[in-house]
């Protein structure tokens, strides 16, 4: 207990005088009744008993009638008297984590690099980030990972990318739907979700942000706390930060200052405390009947996209990849280059999606072949497939659709042949849940 006064005043006030003989008599009577006459009360003095050097000489031990062969192995010098208080603190458990993010999560000296370098005793971090994409690519990387560590946390860092894609015409509702699918996968696999929300320099200067309030509302609705990097930056700057001092360009934070380390530390604190998202019953009614599935072509020529970060098999567009599917197309992961062709998705008789460019910019400093995403349906539209999808390279009669990070211009002569170096890695689909 706790005594608020000094001990002498406590004794004078409460006079805790115990009638020990009377208490012993009450205990003896209780033992007599409770044991049916087979028990008796023995009183052993603590001071006298524990002066003995051998356990066998203690009176309260002798009263237990322990067999002699057992007593021979007994010693009174226990190294650990109170098992509820460890003699030596156990090291903290090493937790697993997976990072789904953009190029800020891939920088040498960036926050993920520091997570892996400085916090090895606390966490095993797998970086699945791909730059220039959105959560759709994160879903592909997540679902492609074999033997995902059980209940490993997911760090999400696609805020900058999604803001840029929103500025270039992608639907806000569709991007938030992809984020919600990631939330649902974390719920199903009991994974904590840790959003590390960054902003472009331009976005940080906006009076009204067209993206962040909606993202915050979504995470809040699932009780997922956010690490808001701009708020952290404001605290570090002790007020409104001079953004030029903290950004190397519009989309990337400087790595030669203290910010990456602070983000890594804050992220690690959240990692130790994180819990899986809390399901929303009204959204469970929608998602519980669905699975998010990766489907790859079968029985087709396969090549491999391989760089220092990942190894992704794909089927060249020239082989006209065909995939059996009953469900709805969400998106696709493709391998492409400066000579990527226009492609068309045939969903069944009389049902064809508009041709889409798979060509990316090329030139000095740009990787020849890249892993990219295509958004194949918006929320609520009808990209439903009854039997199969066939992907065909086409010569479009009009300019093909150009999604963010794609272009449409005369191919570079040095680029690989259009149908050999480019192809389909996987479709991302909604299917009926088994």
């Amino acid at each position: 207990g706790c005594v608020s006064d000094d001990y002498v005043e406590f004794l004078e006030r409460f006079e805790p005088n115990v009638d020990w003989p009377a208490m012993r008599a009450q205990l003896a009577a209780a033992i007599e009744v409770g044991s049916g006459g087979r028990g008796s009360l023995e009183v052993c003095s603590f001071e006298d008993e524990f002066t003995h050097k051998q356990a066998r000489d203690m009176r309260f031990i002798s009263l237990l009638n322990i067999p002699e062969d057992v007593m021979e192995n007994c010693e009174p010098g226990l190294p650990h008297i109170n098992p509820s208080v460890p003699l030596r603190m156990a090291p903290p458990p090493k937790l697993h984590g997976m990072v789904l993010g953009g190029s800020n999560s891939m920088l040498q000296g960036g926050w993920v690099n520091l997570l892996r370098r400085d916090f090895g005793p606390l966490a095993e971090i797998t970086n699945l980030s791909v730059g220039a994409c959105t959560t759709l690519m994160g879903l592909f990387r997540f679902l492609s990972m074999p033997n995902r560590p059980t209940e490993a946390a997911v760090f999400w860092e696609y805020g900058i990318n999604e803001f840029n894609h929103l500025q270039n015409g992608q639907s806000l509702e569709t991007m938030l739907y992809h984020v919600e699918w990631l939330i649902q996968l974390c719920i199903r696999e009991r994974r904590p979700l840790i959003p590390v929300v960054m902003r472009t320099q331009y976005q940080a200067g906006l009076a009204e942000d067209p993206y962040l309030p909606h993202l915050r509302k979504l995470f809040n609705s699932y009780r997922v706390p956010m690490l808001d990097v701009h708020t952290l930056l404001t605290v570090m700057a002790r007020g409104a930060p001079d953004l030029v001092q903290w950004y190397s360009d519009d989309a990337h934070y400087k790595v030669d200052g203290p910010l990456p380390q602070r983000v890594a530390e804050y992220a690690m604190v959240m990692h130790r405390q994180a819990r899986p998202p809390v399901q929303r019953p009204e959204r469970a009614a929608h998602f519980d009947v669905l699975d998010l599935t990766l489907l790859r072509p079968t029985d087709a020529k396969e090549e491999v996209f391989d760089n220092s970060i990942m190894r992704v098999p794909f089927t060249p567009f020239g082989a006209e990849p065909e995939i059996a599917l009953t469900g709805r197309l969400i998106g696709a992961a493709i391998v492409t280059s400066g000579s990527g062709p226009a492609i068309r998705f045939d969903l069944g008789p009389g049902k064809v999606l508009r041709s889409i460019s798979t060509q990316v910019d090329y030139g000095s400093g740009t990787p020849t072949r890249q892993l990219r995403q295509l958004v194949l349906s918006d929320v609520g539209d009808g990209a439903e497939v009854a039997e199969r999808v066939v992907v065909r390279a086409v010569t479009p009669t009009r300019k093909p659709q150009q999604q963010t990070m794609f272009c449409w211009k005369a191919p570079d002569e040095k680029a690989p042949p259009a149908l050999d170096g480019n192809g389909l890695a996987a479709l991302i689909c909604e299917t009926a849940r088994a």
Side-chain angles (χ1 to χ4, degrees):
C2 176
V3 180
S4 59
D5 304 318
D6 66 62
Y7 189 58
V8 174
E9 290 180 355
F10 170 79
L11 293 176
E12 291 177 349
R13 180 178 178 186
F14 293 102
E15 297 182 356
N17 297 316
V18 180
D19 185 348
W20 293 110
M23 177 173 285
R24 290 191 189 97
Q26 291 178 14
L27 287 172
I31 291 171
E32 176 73 19
V33 173
S35 65
R38 296 188 300 273
S40 63
L41 178 66
E42 293 284 346
V43 179
C44 301
S45 166
F46 179 89
E47 291 81 0
D48 294 339
E49 287 292 312
F50 283 91
T51 59
H52 292 289
K53 297 183 183 297
Q54 297 295 325
R56 69 181 68 230
D57 297 328
M58 297 182 185
R59 183 176 173 223
F60 80 92
I61 291 291
S62 65
L63 292 172
L64 299 177
N65 295 320
I66 299 174
E68 188 65 25
D69 58 337
V70 175
M71 287 300 302
E72 289 179 355
N73 297 313
C74 293
E75 295 290 341
L78 298 177
H80 189 182
I81 303 302
N82 186 354
S84 67
V85 180
L87 294 179
R88 182 177 299 172
M89 291 295 293
K94 191 170 185 176
L95 304 179
H96 288 270
M98 298 176 286
V99 180
L100 306 176
S103 53
N104 273 290
S105 296
M106 304 168 69
L107 295 174
Q108 183 69 27
W111 73 280
V112 177
N113 181 235
L114 299 183
L115 269 186
R116 303 177 76 179
R117 188 193 74 185
D118 297 343
F119 297 98
L122 292 175
E124 185 73 32
I125 303 296
T126 302
N127 195 354
L128 302 176
S129 300
V130 178
C133 299
T134 66
T135 304
L136 183 65
M137 178 59 72
L139 292 171
F140 167 74
R141 292 283 282 155
F142 178 86
L143 295 171
S144 296
M145 184 180 182
N147 304 316
R148 294 187 290 274
T150 303
E151 299 183 5
V154 175
F155 294 90
W156 176 93
E157 187 274 302
Y158 268 123
I160 283 179
N161 299 51
E162 299 213 340
F163 177 81
N164 285 334
H165 280 245
L166 177 65
Q167 295 295 102
N168 284 278
Q170 188 171 334
S171 160
L172 171 66
E173 292 74 19
T174 300
M175 287 189 293
L176 293 178
Y177 187 70
H178 298 162
V179 175
E180 193 169 12
W181 251 121
L182 179 62
I183 294 172
Q184 292 292 329
L185 293 175
C186 287
I187 292 174
R188 292 182 185 183
E189 299 185 11
R190 294 190 53 79
R191 299 184 183 280
L193 178 60
I194 304 164
V196 181
V197 181
M198 299 182 170
R199 311 184 201 194
T200 68
Q201 186 173 345
Y202 165 75
Q203 181 186 8
L206 291 177
E208 294 186 9
D209 190 315
Y211 172 71
L212 190 55
H214 302 279
L215 180 71
R216 189 188 304 277
K217 182 179 179 180
L218 177 62
F219 283 134
N220 285 345
S221 70
Y222 284 96
R223 302 184 194 174
V224 176
M226 285 175 23
L227 194 174
D228 188 334
V229 174
H230 188 73
T231 300
L232 176 60
L233 188 57
T234 301
V235 172
M236 292 176 62
R238 308 298 190 265
D242 180 355
L243 299 179
V244 176
Q245 295 182 6
W246 298 95
Y247 285 81
S248 60
D249 56 43
D250 183 60
H252 297 93
Y253 294 91
K254 290 181 178 179
V255 297
D256 56 357
L259 182 62
Q261 185 67 42
R262 297 292 86 78
V263 173
E265 292 168 353
Y266 197 155
M268 187 51 55
V269 170
M270 295 184 71
H271 188 211
R272 309 303 296 184
Q273 301 173 344
R275 297 292 182 268
V278 177
Q279 182 64 280
R280 298 166 54 191
E282 73 279 9
R283 297 305 289 157
H286 171 79
F287 285 101
D288 281 355
V289 298
L290 299 172
D291 266 329
L292 194 68
T293 309
L294 284 188
L295 297 177
R296 294 182 170 89
T298 57
D299 301 326
K301 175 185 175 183
E302 189 176 87
E303 297 183 14
V304 175
F305 168 72
D306 195 356
N307 61 15
S308 61
I309 300 174
M310 68 194 89
R311 180 180 173 86
V312 179
F314 69 95
T315 299
F317 292 129
E320 295 196 347
E322 182 174 329
I323 297 177
L325 168 64
T326 301
R328 187 171 81 95
L329 284 179
I330 297 294
I334 64 171
V335 174
T336 190
S337 67
S339 62
I343 60 173
R344 185 182 67 203
F345 289 82
D346 292 346
L347 311 185
K351 197 169 184 180
V352 178
L353 296 183
R354 177 184 168 185
S355 62
I356 304 175
S357 171
T358 65
Q359 186 184 57
V360 293
D361 279 319
Y362 47 83
S364 176
T366 303
T368 303
R369 297 166 75 193
Q370 304 172 28
L371 181 66
R372 287 286 172 261
Q373 67 178 42
L374 290 174
V375 178
L376 299 181
S377 65
D378 287 326
V379 175
D381 71 5
E384 303 288 342
V385 182
E387 294 183 2
R388 64 181 53 83
V389 179
V390 181
V391 184
R392 294 185 171 92
V394 297
T395 302
T397 56
R398 58 174 179 159
K399 193 173 184 179
Q401 178 187 351
Q402 295 168 238
Q403 297 188 6
T404 310
M405 303 306 298
F406 292 91
C407 62
W408 188 245
K409 55 187 178 182
D412 187 343
E413 294 179 357
K414 297 180 181 180
L419 301 184
D420 293 334
N422 314 290
L424 176 68
L427 295 179
I428 305 168
C429 316
E430 282 182 342
T431 57
R433 193 173 186 184

